[in-house]
Amino acid sequence: MDPIVVTSTEAATGKTAVSLGIAQLAKAAGHSVGYMKPKGTRLQSATGKTRDEDPMLARELLDLDAEMHELEPIVYTPTFIEEAIRGREQPEELRERVLENYEKLAEDRDLMVVEGTDRLSTGGIVDLTDPEIAEMIGANVVLLSRYDEADDVDEIIAAAEQIGDNFAGVLFNAVPDSELDQLTTDVVPFLESRGIDVLGVMPRVKELAGMTVGELAERLGAEVLTTDVSTDVFIERFSVGAMSAEGALTQFRRTQNAAMITGGDRSEIVTAALQASGIKCIILGGGFRPTGAVLGEAEKRGVPVLLLQSDTRMAIDRAEDVLQSGPTRNPETVDRMEKLLEDHADVDLLIGE
């Protein structure tokens, strides 16, 4: 069975859950399955180690006995990138490291599932993009994509061209109900007419698409300022309030299921956000508490307000990291994705049977 590289067109597409879901399906079919994540990008800090949540979960689910440095041989931090620019990281040596670890992990395995990164360009500075890794190990590339609007098709076509002969097809994940008809009726036939195989169309499942405000607050360490307002509403994306109130309102009305982030001293931005039905939560940075009138309006509209003591820029970075990491990685999340794959994807094609 040829190895599989699972890559994506953007962040937060469910790549880890899909990668491990495919691996579990192959394991359930009686195959011996290995896993690797060549480039670790989930960082604790700019100079810190990767969080290692994904390889650790893979090791648990697939009963792997490999060491973490074998499962994830490159820690792709900003510091690593700077060192590569200075010539202190040699592409050939790094490619050898990845290939040696891959061959060790693949020994006596029927199938290897290799988890890629959020962008096809990541790793280019050391000649280790996902397409380049796929070419090096002879893998089929599964492109994971969301579908929110028609111009997402441009990204898929461009990605297919960049991946080249190793491209196996596109797998759509977390497709909103409102887009399913257009995707299956118009987009899928169009892509297939362009020679792009569609491996599956998986509907949006709320529990896999984002996280509740309560979970977001807990993972951010934020204080919930509003009272008697539910924190069970789901958040899927965030919007930054860094412009005029008029411009902000236009932007906010275009988004759905979003958390809006701004400084606690920007009451006009918060007021604009409260007028947009797609803003489900407000996150304030800088430790600035809003006025009682603003909090009262938020409570009246049922919009929870969270407060972070860190400055607004850091609050944005932290919120982006948490939201892009998606739902907490655990066996239940992967089991749910495995069932979605079974019901909505061409499993035999995915695992190469």
Side-chain angles (χ1 to χ4, degrees):
M1 301 170 72
D2 292 332
I4 300 169
V5 171
V6 180
T7 189
S8 60
T9 56
E10 60 181 316
T13 55
K15 185 161 40 57
T16 297
V18 168
S19 297
L20 295 181
I22 291 171
Q24 287 200 158
L25 285 168
K27 185 179 178 182
H31 301 294
S32 174
V33 184
Y35 167 93
M36 185 184 196
K37 187 176 183 181
K39 306 183 295 283
T41 54
R42 303 190 65 215
L43 311 178
Q44 287 181 328
S45 65
T47 58
K49 296 180 180 179
T50 55
R51 291 175 180 154
D52 292 337
E53 294 172 356
D54 302 340
M56 286 177 67
L57 181 58
R59 190 162 59 175
E60 173 189 347
L61 292 176
L62 302 176
D63 299 321
L64 306 176
D65 57 7
E67 298 295 329
M68 290 302 302
H69 70 272
E70 295 170 336
L71 295 172
E72 192 176 76
I74 296 176
V75 181
Y76 204 78
T77 64
T79 299
F80 171 89
I81 296 170
E82 291 168 5
E83 293 296 285
I85 291 172
R86 296 186 181 110
R88 295 172 186 164
E89 297 285 357
Q90 300 303 317
E92 281 305 316
E93 293 178 6
L94 294 169
R95 287 173 67 87
E96 282 184 26
R97 184 195 307 172
V98 170
L99 187 57
E100 286 175 6
N101 282 286
Y102 170 81
E103 290 176 342
K104 182 178 179 180
L105 294 170
E107 190 175 353
D108 299 325
R109 300 286 180 180
D110 298 326
L111 174 68
M112 279 292 293
V113 177
V114 178
E115 182 178 348
T117 52
D118 294 335
R119 293 182 300 168
L120 291 178
S121 59
T122 299
I125 199 167
V126 289
D127 302 327
L128 281 171
T129 63
D130 289 349
E132 287 169 324
I133 290 172
E135 181 68 25
M136 180 173 65
I137 64 176
N140 295 322
V141 179
V142 174
L143 179 70
L144 194 59
S145 177
R146 289 180 177 270
Y147 184 78
D148 295 306
E149 53 191 5
D151 62 7
D152 289 339
V153 175
D154 286 337
E155 296 289 335
I156 294 166
I157 292 173
E161 292 175 351
Q162 184 176 347
I163 294 166
D165 293 340
N166 296 96
F167 183 61
V170 60
L171 176 63
F172 289 100
N173 186 33
V175 179
D177 291 343
S178 59
E179 303 298 334
L180 276 172
D181 282 347
Q182 183 189 31
L183 179 57
T184 55
T185 303
D186 299 331
V187 176
V188 169
F190 172 78
L191 289 173
E192 291 176 341
S193 75
R194 297 288 294 264
I196 295 175
D197 288 332
V198 177
L199 304 174
V201 175
M202 298 190 292
R204 176 185 176 274
V205 175
K206 185 173 67 173
E207 292 78 9
L208 297 178
M211 65 187 67
T212 67
V213 172
E215 291 170 331
L216 179 61
E218 181 178 352
R219 290 173 67 173
L220 287 173
E223 179 184 356
V224 181
L225 299 182
T226 42
T227 58
D228 298 324
V229 175
S230 174
T231 57
D232 291 336
V233 64
F234 269 76
I235 299 297
E236 298 179 23
R237 55 185 60 85
F238 76 95
S239 181
V240 178
M243 66 296 284
S244 68
E246 183 178 346
L249 182 57
T250 301
Q251 174 184 311
F252 297 155
R253 283 177 171 163
R254 291 173 181 162
T255 192
Q256 295 294 324
N257 303 318
M260 190 281 292
I261 311 174
T262 192
D265 55 347
R266 298 294 305 274
S267 58
E268 77 284 5
I269 298 295
V270 177
T271 300
L274 291 172
Q275 297 177 50
S277 61
I279 301 296
K280 304 299 184 183
C281 168
I282 291 171
I283 303 172
L284 303 177
F288 294 105
R289 290 177 174 268
T291 64
V294 169
L295 271 182
E297 184 64 19
E299 290 173 347
K300 178 182 176 182
R301 293 178 179 268
V303 178
V305 178
L306 312 183
L307 179 65
L308 288 171
Q309 294 302 317
S310 52
D311 63 60
T312 305
R313 179 67 257 175
M314 187 176 294
I316 292 169
D317 290 343
R318 288 177 62 195
E320 180 178 24
D321 181 58
V322 168
L323 283 174
Q324 287 190 351
S325 72
T328 303
R329 265 73 163 175
N330 55 43
E332 292 74 24
T333 299
V334 177
D335 289 344
R336 190 74 179 269
M337 182 58 74
E338 181 183 356
K339 184 69 167 86
L340 276 175
L341 286 164
E342 201 169 30
D343 292 343
H344 300 283
D346 189 333
V347 174
D348 290 343
L349 197 55
L350 277 173
I351 64 177
E353 287 195 326

